[in-house]
Amino acid sequence: MLYNKSITATVYIVNNGKVLLHMHKKYNTWFPVGGHLEPDELPHEAAIREAKEEAGIDITLLETENVPYFDIGRVDRLPAPFCLYHEGDIEEQFLDFIYIGKSAQTEFLPMIAESKELRWFSREDLESEDIKVHVKNTALTVLNYLRK
């Protein structure tokens, strides 16, 4: 059986104790920014590019404690993401490289074809809004991690 394997990069962007989510055009629900890797692109490069395309902001990917870094020759250090492997229906599988990023920018300027509905969510907003459980739990975990 042939599978369509999707490799994506996602970034939970944080600013002032809030996390950025956007209304996904296809699924009509709140998601962090992210998308498929382009040819010859590393996952962390895709996360940075997607933040620029989908939100119009510059980000810095955070180093996470107790996660190793690997020297791959193209960059000094490759930020190690946490990964999610998900088998959707029998025709599609996902491997998502998930990063934590920070941005000093609070205003959005998404590219023309991107979602125009972006919002910074506080802990309270995440708890009270109708957000998919895995997105809500990951966003809360990221905010808690950064509180340390």
Side-chain angles (χ1 to χ4, degrees):
M1 176 179 287
L2 294 176
Y3 288 98
N4 178 18
K5 295 187 184 214
S6 295
I7 301 175
T8 56
T10 297
V11 59
Y12 283 82
I13 304 167
V14 178
N15 176 300
N16 199 27
K18 295 182 178 182
V19 66
L20 177 64
L21 300 177
H22 75 101
M23 184 58 69
H24 196 283
K25 295 180 300 183
K26 181 177 176 182
Y27 299 111
N28 198 34
T29 189
W30 294 106
F31 274 107
V33 300
H36 292 86
L37 275 65
E38 292 182 353
D40 298 322
E41 186 176 47
L42 294 171
H44 74 286
E45 295 167 336
I48 293 168
R49 176 185 51 77
E50 289 289 348
K52 191 66 167 179
E53 290 178 2
E54 292 186 1
I57 62 176
D58 295 311
I59 65 167
T60 301
L61 297 179
L62 300 184
E63 297 180 11
T64 51
E65 276 183 38
N66 303 319
V67 179
Y69 285 82
F70 304 95
D71 181 358
I72 60 167
R74 284 183 54 190
V75 293
D76 291 333
R77 295 190 331 165
L78 177 63
F82 51 104
C83 296
L84 170 68
Y85 176 73
H86 169 70
E87 290 191 54
D89 56 34
I90 60 171
E91 297 175 1
E92 190 162 24
Q93 298 174 334
F94 295 91
L95 176 60
D96 192 14
F97 292 86
I98 304 170
Y99 295 91
I100 301 171
K102 278 192 173 181
S103 178
Q105 295 173 248
T106 57
E107 299 296 317
F108 311 117
L109 188 58
M111 293 180 76
I112 291 173
E114 300 294 342
S115 170
K116 302 299 181 230
E117 195 171 351
L118 296 108
R119 183 172 148 203
W120 293 105
F121 284 81
S122 67
R123 281 179 183 76
E124 295 76 22
D125 296 332
L126 291 165
E127 295 286 359
S128 64
E129 295 282 335
D130 184 23
I131 299 172
K132 290 194 172 288
V133 172
H134 73 283
V135 172
K136 180 184 297 193
N137 289 345
T138 304
L140 288 169
T141 298
V142 165
L143 291 176
N144 289 336
Y145 174 80
L146 294 176
R147 218 192 301 182
K148 293 187 217 177

